[in-house]
Amino acid sequence: MGRRGMSHYAHCVIILFGICFCSVSLISAAAGTVPTDTSTSILIRVDQFGNGDFEKIQDAIDAVPSNNSKFVFIRIKPGTYREKIVVPADKPFVTLSGARASNTIITWNDGGDIFYSPTLTVLASDFVGRFLTIQNTFGTTERAVALRVAGDRAAFYGCRIRSYQDTLLDDAGNHYYRKCYIEGATDFICGNAASIYERCRLHSLSTQNGSLTAQHRSSPSEKTGFTFLGCKITGIGHAFLGRPWGAYSRVIFAQTYISDVIVPQGWDDWQDQNKHSTVYYGEYKCYGPGADTSKRVQWSQSLSENQAAPFMTIDMIGGRSWLRRTPSHFKRFTGSIASVMNANEND
């Protein structure tokens, strides 16, 4: 980022990272479900070559008990894991952590339905994904989701999320993405979550008329929407910033570098002019050759500082109550989570 808008951006970063910094785990806000020791996590190792507790990621997740109440840190050693993975709703407090996204890859090849095609589906609350590549290699002919996030209070750090159509189904809940690379062509960030994307790179594969976002807010009472803060937009052809999957679709780009991949009009109405009066599409202090708003559609907005401010803080996603640092102590997995918990109680 250049000097343009740096002072206000720095202020927002202080707001955003006064509570969390880089690698974090999450804590539930619901009474009675918070792990009593937030500094300690149970460590499960996954190594496809047999030098860990499990060879498959799904097997490690399956080892977490239903209604889990402990932080579980699943450390995935480098490799390419050809798995279709689900983190069930009854298994909160799970972290999947790779070594680096470049060498820790989760891949599958499925297309068609957005709810059944994902390579990784997260239904559980209080989930963290770190330093992983999550990809769907199905191709260009069908919707093919790489990652679906439907659990509340989920965060992703340094991940690479790759497909072509509907790459990231940011489905429901409050979510946070930091320094992630997200690639696709058509509606490749879609869904109805309330999410902040901080310093992420959005890379469009669209040759023409593709869309980065398709946010699905369907009512003015829903507190959902996507904020892209300090991000970078690149690509190979031409694309729109977004189009309205829902009538009250809400997307904000703030202090983001926009390359000339974005067409001058900026936004598409999905051939429904009735949505012009209900969508909320805003830009605030963006820069780059695609950031000129003089030819933007009239139903989008250039936001003032006061208008943009509510979308540039973790309060938008309730983050002050659930973003936490990564545990500093680890208990080794000994065959079952219950045995580790019992051993801890007897210490």
Side-chain angles (χ1 to χ4, degrees), residues 92-104:
F93 308 116
V94 169
T95 294
L96 296 182
S97 181
R100 295 193 304 272
S102 61
N103 64 15
T104 313

Side-chain angles (χ1 to χ4, degrees), residues 10-324:
H11 173 69
C12 292
V13 169
I14 291 171
I15 293 175
L16 215 55
F17 291 101
I19 292 178
C20 60
F21 178 78
C22 194
S23 302
V24 303
S25 280
L26 307 179
I27 184 169
S28 173
T33 63
V34 178
T36 56
D37 182 2
T38 60
S39 67
T40 300
S41 182
I42 296 167
L43 175 65
I44 301 178
R45 300 165 303 150
V46 176
D47 182 354
Q48 64 184 153
F49 300 109
N51 297 316
D53 302 302
F54 297 96
E55 295 181 11
K56 292 183 177 295
I57 299 167
Q58 188 66 61
D59 289 344
I61 294 168
D62 291 345
V64 178
S66 296
N67 304 314
N68 175 53
S69 61
K70 297 289 184 180
F71 288 127
V72 177
F73 193 97
I74 299 175
R75 180 175 293 159
I76 305 167
K77 292 191 176 182
T80 299
Y81 295 82
R82 302 184 188 281
E83 300 186 51
K84 190 168 185 174
I85 297 167
V86 176
V87 184
D90 63 350
K91 297 190 178 186
F93 308 116
V94 169
T95 294
L96 296 182
S97 181
R100 295 193 304 272
S102 61
N103 64 15
T104 313
I105 301 166
I106 304 172
T107 186
W108 198 249
N109 180 2
D110 200 357
D113 189 279
I114 60 173
F115 298 113
Y116 296 102
S117 64
T119 300
L120 172 60
T121 297
V122 178
L123 303 177
S125 66
D126 305 288
F127 175 86
V128 177
R130 304 168 73 243
F131 313 131
L132 300 166
T133 289
I134 305 161
Q135 65 185 26
N136 190 328
T137 61
F138 186 81
T140 64
T141 59
E142 293 277 359
R143 294 180 292 183
V145 177
L147 172 64
R148 177 191 175 197
V149 190
D152 196 14
R153 302 182 298 274
F156 293 82
Y157 300 87
C159 290
R160 294 175 63 86
I161 307 165
R162 304 179 63 190
S163 186
Y164 190 82
Q165 182 171 348
D166 298 349
T167 302
L168 170 55
L169 177 53
D170 201 9
D171 194 5
N174 294 284
H175 306 151
Y176 180 66
Y177 303 82
R178 173 170 159 82
K179 290 187 175 180
C180 291
Y181 172 91
I182 308 167
E183 177 184 282
T186 305
D187 306 333
F188 65 92
I189 302 175
C190 57
N192 197 25
S195 296
I196 293 175
Y197 295 79
E198 171 82 17
R199 297 180 65 186
C200 293
R201 180 180 170 190
L202 316 180
H203 187 72
S204 173
L205 300 176
S206 169
T207 55
Q208 60 179 358
N209 299 326
S211 179
L212 274 62
T213 68
Q215 208 279 332
H216 197 207
R217 184 169 175 256
S218 59
S219 163
S221 64
E222 290 183 300
K223 297 179 180 180
T224 60
F226 301 156
T227 292
F228 298 89
L229 176 61
C231 293
K232 184 176 183 179
I233 297 171
T234 58
I236 63 171
H238 296 95
F240 296 100
L241 291 169
R243 60 179 184 167
W245 188 6
Y248 290 83
S249 181
R250 182 160 61 182
V251 180
I252 293 90
F253 287 90
Q255 294 167 329
T256 286
Y257 173 82
I258 302 178
S259 73
D260 58 6
V261 69
I262 298 302
V263 296
Q265 60 266 42
W267 307 87
D268 178 54
D269 63 8
W270 218 327
Q271 299 180 339
D272 185 354
Q273 295 185 10
N274 292 326
K275 294 178 180 176
H276 291 185
S277 62
T278 56
V279 299
Y280 191 97
Y281 289 154
E283 298 169 63
Y284 173 71
K285 289 189 176 180
C286 294
Y287 62 104
D292 182 1
T293 59
S294 63
K295 296 182 180 179
R296 289 290 194 258
V297 294
Q298 293 184 352
W299 38 275
S300 68
Q301 302 183 53
S302 292
L303 302 178
S304 68
E305 181 174 341
N306 288 339
Q307 289 174 317
F311 303 103
M312 299 173 64
T313 165
I314 56 172
D315 291 338
M316 173 187 159
I317 57 172
R320 295 180 190 277
S321 68
W322 57 268
L323 286 166
R324 295 293 186 271

